[in-house]
Amino acid sequence: MLTILAAGSVFFPGLFLLSKQCLKSLRWSEGDAVIVSARLVSSVQAVMASSAGYIIASSCKDIIEDQHWLTSTYIMFAVPYFVYDIYAMFMCYWYKLRVKGHEEALAAPQHMRSAVRSYLRREFLMVLHHVVMVTVCFPVSVFWRQGKGDYFQGIMFMAELSTPSVCLGKILIQYKQQHTLLHKVNGALMLVTFFIFRVLLFPYLYYVYGRYASIPFHMVPLTVPWHCNVGAALLMAPQLYWFSLICRGALRLFTGSSRSRRPRAPSADDKEHQGDGNALPQPSNGYNARSTEPELTTH
């Protein structure tokens, strides 16, 4: 068990550092390399979790009693990812602040503490999600289940299928590619995969258990233990919130919102302001200091 935890503790941060160094060797800026590397690691973890989930679910004929060695193994391997990702998300947030023209101010220790507090306020739900995954879901999945319900665990792993499209969407926004066909196709894919693999996840699990136990679907919540319903509700709530954000973004994207159009050419006034020493420089990684675009951060 400790060996698997150690492997995960080395793999995810190591992949992040390797990717960052490779991008920097290609003359990418530090901020760009950090942000893209964090998205890459999240996507790799999502592919690994989804693949493990498919193998587990497809191998379990009895959805309650059948077991697969990969279930507990991958849970233990992936736990360090959620700890690492809290740090990686902060580094992304930190560099976004820096490209908005606050490099010197943010160098002071007191401003680092201020940035941490601001990050925790902004990303409270995601940080809470990661903490719960480590402190609650990990012990419940590995110890409390006592080897039962590997099929359900495998299906829950497959919820990560939506993560690569979320990460790609962030990168396209970072480089101001909202006007491209790729961004629109990826947005539609993100909407569909998030709805199927996250929003419909628990209704599907209730449906499958109802068939297994020969119980009508609407009676399943009244039959299963109360803590199963509470756990499902707590895990489902943030998915519904994030899906509402995706729907809002999709509405702007496909109704021709100005934020999704090709950036306009700079006017004479813009060029005049660019010559002003008080104007903020245009960040090379695509983040605009005046942007108020909400950003979805899901895993």
Side-chain angles (χ1 to χ4, degrees):
M1 176 178 176
L2 293 178
T3 302
I4 300 171
L5 285 170
S9 300
V10 172
F11 178 79
F12 294 111
L15 179 60
F16 172 78
L17 293 174
L18 176 62
S19 173
K20 186 181 75 169
Q21 289 303 119
C22 289
L23 293 176
K24 288 177 66 177
S25 70
L26 297 175
R27 300 184 182 278
W28 285 45
S29 69
E30 177 81 13
D32 285 348
V34 165
I35 293 170
V36 173
S37 296
R39 311 304 186 215
L40 173 65
V41 175
S42 294
S43 297
V44 169
Q45 194 282 140
V47 171
M48 294 174 66
S50 302
S51 301
Y54 175 78
I55 293 171
I56 294 165
S58 61
S59 68
C60 293
K61 306 306 178 184
D62 187 310
I63 65 173
I64 300 297
E65 300 297 336
D66 283 0
Q67 298 182 16
H68 195 285
W69 65 269
L70 193 53
T71 307
S72 295
T73 300
Y74 189 77
I75 291 172
M76 290 185 289
F77 179 76
V79 162
Y81 164 79
F82 293 98
V83 179
Y84 141 82
D85 197 48
I86 293 175
Y87 167 78
M89 288 191 299
F90 172 73
M91 293 305 297
C92 292
Y93 181 75
W94 172 256
Y95 280 105
K96 288 177 193 177
L97 291 180
R98 293 188 59 139
V99 298
K100 291 181 178 179
H102 305 295
E103 292 90 346
E104 294 182 1
L106 288 172
Q110 63 269 28
H111 289 286
M112 172 65 82
R113 291 192 293 269
S114 177
V116 170
R117 290 194 296 268
S118 176
Y119 159 71
L120 292 175
R121 286 194 301 268
R122 177 182 173 88
E123 304 293 349
F124 173 77
L125 186 59
M126 182 58 67
V127 173
L128 178 63
H129 169 271
H130 282 31
V131 171
V132 169
M133 291 296 292
V134 174
T135 60
V136 178
C137 295
F138 166 62
V140 166
S141 298
V142 174
F143 304 110
W144 182 79
R145 287 189 310 115
Q146 297 181 344
K148 295 184 181 294
D150 279 18
Y151 173 85
F152 294 98
Q153 193 67 59
I155 295 296
M156 294 179 71
F157 284 165
M158 294 178 66
E160 292 291 338
L161 276 170
S162 63
T163 299
S165 59
V166 173
C167 292
L168 177 58
K170 293 180 188 177
I171 293 174
L172 293 174
I173 291 174
Q174 176 182 341
Y175 290 100
K176 293 187 176 180
Q177 299 300 305
Q178 296 96 316
H179 61 279
T180 62
L181 177 62
L182 176 60
H183 183 66
K184 291 179 172 62
V185 172
N186 182 72
L189 181 63
M190 178 171 61
L191 185 68
V192 172
T193 55
F194 200 97
F195 178 72
I196 293 175
F197 293 103
R198 288 185 182 263
V199 175
L200 294 182
L201 172 65
F202 287 102
Y204 172 75
L205 294 179
Y206 276 58
Y207 167 75
V208 169
Y209 181 78
R211 290 189 57 186
Y212 173 83
S214 300
I215 301 170
F217 175 74
H218 67 277
M219 293 297 295
V220 174
L222 303 177
T223 305
V224 299
W226 66 270
H227 49 264
C228 293
N229 291 322
V230 171
L234 292 176
L235 291 174
M236 183 75 171
Q239 311 305 326
L240 293 175
Y241 170 72
W242 288 323
F243 184 66
S244 71
L245 297 183
I246 293 176
C247 289
R248 286 169 51 194
L251 184 62
R252 286 196 301 269
L253 180 64
F254 293 108
T255 56
S257 170
S258 61
R259 288 174 180 169
S260 299
R261 294 174 184 166
R262 183 184 297 274
R264 64 179 177 85
S267 64
D269 290 340
D270 293 333
K271 293 178 180 179
E272 181 179 347
H273 287 302
Q274 286 177 358
D276 185 357
N278 295 325
L280 292 178
Q282 180 66 23
S284 61
N285 69 351
Y287 283 100
N288 192 308
R290 297 178 178 86
S291 174
T292 57
E293 182 82 22
E295 182 177 346
L296 174 67
T297 54
T298 64
H299 298 275

